[in-house]
Amino acid sequence: MPVKSRCPKRRIDPAAELEAWSMLFRCGYDYFRDLEPYGFDGPEGEAAARIAAKKAWKRLGRAYMANFKPEPPREQPWALEEFGDPRCH
């Protein structure tokens, strides 16, 4: 009897996801539309991404802060100001 073929599960690379969220974490906007492949596209995509940013920050915030370098005019990332220290969640 032939083996049933299966489609591989779609897995998201954590490093790629962090890279996609990094602009929104830094300034609160996805200027380069890096989040479009993750379903945040179209006119309502920006608002949906900002809502989803809290969960993403809890999941990816520590890794983001480990590599964050303050640059003027932003000494702290938007997500840190908005959601607090990711190590406290």
Side-chain angles (χ1 to χ4, degrees):
M1 181 172 203
V3 177
K4 181 181 176 182
S5 65
R6 297 180 181 217
C7 294
K9 292 182 180 179
R10 182 178 175 198
R11 301 193 193 278
I12 297 173
D13 178 28
E17 185 182 17
L18 178 60
E19 182 65 29
W21 281 100
S22 65
M23 178 60 72
L24 188 103
F25 287 166
R26 176 175 284 283
C27 60
Y29 295 99
D30 184 23
Y31 288 113
F32 302 115
R33 306 217 186 279
D34 294 329
L35 293 171
E36 280 185 358
Y38 297 94
F40 301 105
D41 55 348
E44 62 280 339
E46 186 73 37
R50 288 181 74 132
I51 292 169
K54 185 171 186 173
K55 285 184 180 178
W57 181 247
K58 286 181 181 180
R59 193 174 60 254
L60 303 168
R62 288 181 189 196
Y64 179 80
M65 290 304 294
N67 296 320
F68 178 75
K69 294 178 181 74
E71 296 175 4
R74 277 240 176 238
E75 296 298 321
Q76 290 188 6
W78 170 84
L80 182 64
E81 294 172 358
E82 190 74 17
F83 308 123
D85 192 345
R87 293 172 287 182
C88 296
H89 295 287

